[in-house]
Amino acid sequence: MLELSDILMTKASSIERKIYAKSSLVGISHGLEDMIVEFKLKSEIFVSFQKFKFFMVEFDRYMILDSLCKKVFVFARNIDFDKIKDFKNTVFIELNDDDSMIEEWNIIINHPEHPAVFLSFSADILKETLIVMKNKLSKYGVEYNPSKINYNKEKDIVTRKMRFFINRTLSEIEDKSSQLITKNNLLEKALSENGEITNEIIKRLCYAAEYRDDDSAVHMARMSIYTSILYEQVETSQNKIRLMNYAALMHDIGKIGIPDSILLKAGKLTSEEFNIMKTHTTIGARILKGSKREVIQMGYELALSHHEKWDGSGYPSGLKEKDIPLTARVVAISDVFDALSTARIYKKAFPIETRIEILKSQRNKHFQGELVDLFLENIDRIIMCKKNIDLKFNNHTDEDVFSMLFNNPMSFFIEC
């Protein structure tokens, strides 16, 4: 005996078969059920669920159908009869484990004038499926004779036209949806690959900077994390905060173009040497200029403007106050704090009390006052992070600084 899906796949039109095979069965089932409710059709419903828990998702819908329909037959496995005791007009049939209906999800609407088997409205197909249903009920000890269909040839022609139109339209929607899903998947893959490429570019730039100065790698790592802590206090966009994590790594990228005799000098720079050192801002800007990638664009802002000062006495452009990009104002504080925290050949690291006093003394001079206050409000967290960062990098000698940064979430360093 042919089961329901076999009848549909052999008797239905090619369009109907395509819809049956590809469309959302849940959507089709809901559409047919809603049709019964909307037009208050005194129908018989035969519906199979692969698992009873799927029926429970539709519980409220079927309570309504129970009150409207002539009779409802629900086939499922593992039925919890205590949960369905309020149904008055629905017969629940526990399927055997070897019943082929377990592999199917079907709904049949038997109405004298409005027959439906999924998206087939053919009287001929419905007659065959009703025979299957009658035999199936008998197998489970339920004797029931489904209502007869009033076949009207003229009306059937109209129904067939409607069926063709609906099925053709849904088939077209399904095709377009499938194409859209494919394109979206390709786009997501492309965006993911673009993100990976961008990160790889940033990492390689960082390696180049580290090659010139061994101490710069951990400095850049600390800068990335200090800056992220402060930036999240003033920026609500999670995307921009994420970009800052990586853009801050590039703030000193222009030092690639500074001669070793100046970049690595152990003592104080002469006035002429300092003027050359200052060009690392414009060199970095030239390296990063013109990119369409947001993180590189932010890196350009930082490279060019992180030595500007709130009072206008900074370089290279003498910008002041809010003419300086917010990102650069944030990085300026983190940069100075880390420099004060770090021992060099020509100087010792300043005690934390001295670092805090220097920052306070530069409110509304070097730095925007409100940002200094926010930085100091988070100073305990920043100090703990510095210790945590140094510990992590010192204990992972087999993994370089930038691989650790790019292979771990920022919380790995910030949640100290």
Side-chain angles (χ1 to χ4, degrees):
M1 180 179 67
L2 288 174
E3 295 294 328
L4 302 180
S5 59
D6 294 325
I7 293 172
L8 284 168
M9 297 306 284
T10 56
K11 299 288 186 178
S13 68
S14 59
I15 294 174
E16 289 169 344
R17 290 197 299 270
K18 187 174 183 181
I19 293 295
Y20 179 79
K22 295 182 67 177
S23 291
S24 166
L25 304 188
V26 176
I28 295 169
S29 177
H30 285 179
L32 293 174
E33 292 158 3
D34 291 344
M35 180 181 70
I36 293 171
V37 174
E38 178 68 22
F39 296 102
K40 295 180 172 55
L41 301 179
K42 202 70 175 174
S43 304
E44 296 167 340
I45 298 180
F46 303 84
V47 59
S48 63
F49 291 88
Q50 291 172 313
K51 295 181 180 179
F52 180 69
K53 66 179 182 180
F54 298 153
F55 168 79
M56 291 303 296
V57 175
E58 309 292 324
F59 185 90
D60 292 339
R61 298 175 68 87
Y62 273 84
M63 282 297 295
I64 296 171
L65 293 169
D66 181 77
S67 65
L68 288 174
C69 291
K70 179 180 177 181
K71 205 72 176 176
V72 180
F73 295 92
V74 174
F75 298 83
R77 278 191 303 172
N78 304 319
I79 297 173
D80 187 340
F81 287 93
D82 288 336
K83 293 182 178 180
I84 55 176
K85 56 188 177 183
D86 292 334
F87 285 84
K88 307 300 182 186
N89 206 30
T90 301
V91 178
F92 289 87
I93 298 154
E94 176 78 33
L95 291 173
N96 296 332
D97 288 341
D98 59 351
D99 197 304
S100 59
M101 285 186 76
I102 290 172
E103 305 301 324
E104 302 174 342
W105 185 356
N106 293 292
I107 181 168
I108 299 168
I109 309 298
N110 184 29
H111 186 277
E113 297 179 353
H114 306 285
V117 184
F118 274 105
L119 285 185
S120 175
F121 298 90
S122 166
D124 291 337
I125 290 179
L126 182 61
K127 285 178 182 177
E128 290 201 42
T129 57
L130 288 176
I131 293 171
V132 172
M133 294 305 344
K134 181 179 179 180
N135 293 335
K136 186 70 69 174
L137 289 171
S138 180
K139 173 184 174 181
Y140 287 97
V142 178
E143 298 301 327
Y144 186 80
N145 290 314
S147 302
K148 293 185 178 179
I149 301 167
N150 296 327
Y151 182 74
N152 183 308
K153 187 173 182 180
E154 182 178 341
K155 191 172 182 179
D156 188 54
I157 292 173
V158 175
T159 302
R160 285 161 58 193
K161 288 180 179 178
M162 180 184 72
R163 180 178 77 238
F164 181 86
F165 171 76
I166 292 173
N167 287 334
R168 178 58 64 88
T169 302
L170 289 175
S171 182
E172 185 71 17
I173 292 172
E174 179 73 16
D175 286 343
K176 297 301 181 185
S177 297
S178 179
Q179 291 174 22
L180 184 60
I181 290 170
T182 299
K183 288 180 179 179
N184 282 342
N185 288 340
L186 290 173
L187 178 60
E188 288 179 4
K189 182 180 179 182
L191 289 174
S192 176
E193 290 177 350
N194 277 340
E196 291 174 4
I197 291 169
T198 300
N199 287 347
E200 186 67 19
I201 291 169
I202 295 171
K203 187 192 291 188
R204 297 300 163 185
L205 285 171
C206 291
Y207 282 141
E210 181 190 25
Y211 183 76
R212 298 295 316 285
D213 181 359
D214 290 339
D215 293 328
S216 64
V218 179
H219 167 64
M220 284 188 279
R222 289 193 297 261
M223 278 294 298
S224 172
I225 293 159
Y226 297 166
T227 302
S228 296
I229 291 173
L230 179 56
Y231 193 51
E232 69 183 9
Q233 307 299 314
V234 293
E235 177 55 64
T236 58
S237 168
Q238 291 301 309
N239 181 54
K240 288 185 178 180
I241 294 170
R242 181 184 61 80
L243 293 175
M244 176 63 92
N245 294 339
Y246 300 106
L249 295 169
M250 298 180 281
H251 75 285
D252 269 344
I253 200 68
K255 287 184 178 179
I256 290 173
I258 303 300
D260 285 350
S261 59
I262 296 173
L263 183 65
L264 305 179
K265 185 176 179 179
K268 185 177 179 179
L269 298 179
T270 66
S271 176
E272 182 180 354
E273 288 171 336
F274 183 60
N275 285 334
I276 294 172
M277 176 63 83
K278 288 196 293 186
T279 65
H280 81 275
T281 55
T282 52
I283 293 170
R286 286 201 299 273
I287 292 171
L288 301 175
K289 185 177 180 179
S291 175
K292 294 181 179 179
R293 300 177 189 272
E294 289 181 298
V295 67
I296 304 295
Q297 292 170 355
M298 186 181 286
Y300 166 83
E301 273 188 351
L302 302 182
L304 182 62
S305 302
H306 71 283
H307 281 292
E308 301 288 358
K309 295 183 180 181
W310 185 253
D311 62 7
S313 63
Y315 63 88
S317 303
L319 299 178
K320 64 184 300 186
E321 298 182 358
K322 293 190 178 179
D323 287 339
I324 306 168
L326 174 60
T327 53
R329 284 178 261 151
V330 168
V331 165
I333 297 176
S334 301
D335 195 22
V336 170
F337 180 80
D338 193 62
L340 296 172
S341 306
T342 306
R344 292 285 190 174
I345 296 174
Y346 54 88
K347 76 172 184 72
K348 295 181 180 179
F350 288 89
I352 183 59
E353 296 79 11
T354 304
R355 284 177 262 164
I356 290 174
E357 286 306 314
I358 291 173
L359 290 183
K360 287 181 177 179
S361 71
Q362 293 301 309
R363 288 184 87 262
N364 298 322
K365 295 179 182 178
H366 191 154
F367 313 118
Q368 181 180 356
E370 293 87 348
L371 292 180
V372 172
D373 295 340
L374 288 171
F375 190 88
L376 293 179
E377 285 175 15
N378 288 274
I379 194 67
D380 290 340
R381 186 182 179 201
I382 289 167
I383 292 169
M384 285 298 297
C385 279
K386 181 183 186 308
K387 293 178 181 178
N388 194 43
I389 293 162
D390 292 342
L391 181 65
K392 287 181 186 296
F393 290 137
N394 290 335
N395 289 346
H396 290 76
T397 54
D398 58 332
E399 186 175 14
D400 67 82
V401 171
F402 301 117
S403 290
M404 282 192 69
L405 276 174
F406 283 88
N407 293 338
N408 291 284
M410 199 56 57
S411 59
F412 178 73
F413 305 99
I414 291 179
E415 293 177 0
C416 306

